Amino acid sequence: MSLALKDVVLRVEGQTHIHATSVELAPKGFNILLGTTLAGKTTLMRLMAGLLKPTSGEVWFNGKNVTGVPVRERRVAMVYQQFINYGHLTVFDNIASPLRVAGVSSAQVKQRVGRIAELLQLSPLLERRPAELSGGQQQRTALARALVKDADLVLLDEPLANLDYKLREGLRDELPRLFADRDCTVVYATTEPAETLLLGGHTATLHEGAITQFGPTQDVYRRPADLTAAQVFSDPPINTVPVVKRGARIEISNVAGWNVGGELTALADGAYTLGLRPHHVQPAESGAQAGAPAGAQVGVDVDPILDGVRVSGRVSVAEISGSESVVHFDLHGLGWVSQSHGVHRFAVGAVADFRLDVARGLYFDARGRCVSAGGHVLAPR
């Protein structure tokens, strides 16, 4: 099964909701639409399903132009974040409804509903009606109804967002295995970069109605096409700072710098933006506790002993989330974030030290294109 969008554009009342989009999705595994709220994920899915008709461009499925084919004539299943169930039917009948419409035998209906109900922990609830279910149980019912259809195209629009943590983690692990032996194209929308990495497959980053990059998930994460794609694929937000390359040296604000080697020496001299994800900004030994007094200086320097870059910044927010510490700090007027394992206590308003793993840095040129990632110079896209 293959789905392709060819120069698809959607305009509504003079406003462009989806900019010219051409992409061919992977026929196997998950195709993930990653973007913030209102980035265009749901709209793009509705165009794929045939619920919306593009202003221009074409939608192709299995080598056929299906742009004008209504959704009822396609084998499509879709699950929204806000669950939709038939209130007058039991859970069993809700799940079975698409099979009965398709004329599947009673024996097959019972077998397939039982299998999917067991997977989604709905077996004890099959005789209940939606009003008797919790929100998470209703979402699982809607998900089961979509999965039981064996559709050619399955569209999952943030389907796990309303589930409790434990069930969400279990389903996230199970979903890729569930579709591994199915001959269908799966599209999964999410706002969460961490969820995207866990699901794997292929990822399209979306920003303001445009796909900025599409490819294998790990490639998009490690080698973003541009700063926008990197920002979409980073939570907490990616840290950025202007730098200048001169010969074999990178400098920050003419205050400090570090020597580079390998492929980076071939990068043209000039101004760039350095991007570092929060987990590449770690508490330094001296900054792992309360931090220096509020009157201490903020700065950047090179630690010759550890051959790294140490920065000092004033702490604005310090959070402990489970087994991780997230610290927001001010670096020469820029808001930066550190994300680290373990509990590190910082005093708000104090100056603390952090170590930058610059070897993992992303470098973006004046047009925002990523020209180097992880010490490798990237070929022009």
Side-chain angles (χ1 to χ4, degrees):
M1 301 295 174
S2 62
L3 176 70
L5 305 181
K6 300 183 178 181
D7 294 319
V8 166
V9 175
L10 179 68
R11 296 188 184 91
V12 179
E13 296 181 352
Q15 293 187 336
T16 301
H17 286 214
I18 298 294
H19 296 273
T21 297
S22 294
V23 64
E24 183 171 354
L25 301 184
K28 280 288 187 180
F30 274 61
N31 294 276
I32 302 167
L33 304 181
L34 173 63
T36 60
T37 302
L38 300 180
K41 303 184 298 298
T42 299
T43 303
L44 207 55
M45 282 186 158
R46 289 172 63 83
L47 287 165
M48 294 174 181
L51 294 168
L52 292 175
K53 187 176 180 180
T55 305
S56 60
E58 299 173 341
V59 180
W60 286 66
F61 194 74
N62 283 345
K64 296 181 180 179
N65 186 349
V66 296
T67 307
V69 178
V71 65
R72 63 180 177 273
E73 297 179 20
R74 306 190 198 183
R75 288 169 49 87
V76 177
M78 188 165 184
V79 177
Y80 293 93
Q81 177 180 348
Q82 301 299 327
F83 45 79
I84 301 173
N85 293 305
Y86 302 112
H88 64 291
L89 299 180
T90 64
V91 171
F92 183 97
D93 291 332
N94 263 282
I95 300 172
S97 57
L99 300 179
R100 288 173 174 157
V101 170
V104 177
S105 68
S106 297
Q108 277 289 311
V109 167
K110 185 175 181 180
Q111 179 184 10
R112 288 166 65 174
V113 170
R115 175 173 172 269
I116 204 69
E118 182 177 359
L119 171 66
L120 296 178
Q121 301 177 30
L122 290 170
S123 297
L125 310 174
L126 289 176
E127 297 307 315
R128 296 188 187 181
R129 285 180 166 75
E132 302 173 288
L133 304 177
S134 68
Q137 291 167 344
Q138 291 192 53
Q139 180 70 316
R140 279 183 275 159
T141 301
L143 182 59
R145 187 172 63 251
L147 298 182
V148 81
K149 287 178 65 174
D150 285 336
D152 294 334
L153 175 62
V154 179
L155 303 167
L156 306 174
D157 191 358
E158 299 187 55
L160 308 183
N162 291 334
L163 303 184
D164 60 78
Y165 177 79
K166 185 175 181 180
L167 180 61
R168 184 177 185 178
E169 294 298 298
L171 277 177
R172 188 182 284 151
D173 292 339
E174 187 62 36
L175 279 174
R177 291 194 290 271
L178 179 66
F179 287 104
D181 58 351
R182 294 193 178 199
D183 187 19
C184 64
T185 298
V186 183
V187 184
Y188 187 106
T190 182
T191 61
E192 300 181 19
E195 183 171 60
T196 301
L197 289 170
L198 287 169
L199 290 171
H202 288 67
T203 292
T205 51
L206 271 79
H207 179 68
E208 296 182 352
I211 291 180
T212 60
Q213 187 174 0
F214 177 73
T217 296
Q218 286 293 331
D219 289 352
V220 176
Y221 177 75
R222 296 182 185 280
R223 299 189 173 190
D226 52 33
L227 181 55
T228 299
Q231 289 169 330
V232 169
F233 216 147
S234 186
D235 182 31
I238 191 169
N239 301 298
T240 59
V241 63
V243 298
V244 175
K245 180 181 181 292
R246 294 186 177 93
R249 190 166 177 81
I250 302 289
E251 297 180 350
I252 299 178
S253 302
N254 293 317
V255 173
W258 59 95
N259 295 327
V260 296
E263 294 183 24
L264 272 179
T265 59
L267 193 65
D269 287 358
Y272 296 93
T273 296
L274 169 65
L276 282 173
R277 290 195 166 92
H279 58 274
H280 295 147
V281 180
Q282 295 292 301
E285 285 295 324
S286 60
Q289 301 301 321
Q297 288 189 336
V298 177
V300 184
D301 63 48
V302 177
D303 186 330
I305 298 176
L306 296 177
D307 193 27
V309 176
R310 188 181 69 226
V311 300
S312 298
R314 195 173 307 282
V315 176
S316 57
V317 177
E319 304 171 317
I320 297 175
S321 177
S323 61
E324 290 188 328
S325 297
V326 178
V327 181
H328 298 250
F329 62 96
D330 181 272
L331 178 66
H332 289 287
L334 299 173
W336 271 47
V337 185
S338 165
Q339 183 180 35
S340 58
H341 292 294
V343 176
H344 304 288
R345 300 190 183 280
F346 293 84
V348 174
V351 173
D353 295 333
F354 302 89
R355 190 164 304 284
L356 311 186
D357 187 357
V358 293
R360 307 281 186 130
L362 303 169
Y363 290 86
F364 304 93
D365 65 13
R367 296 172 60 185
R369 299 172 301 184
C370 187
V371 294
S372 176
H376 300 286
V377 176
L378 306 182
R381 297 177 184 267

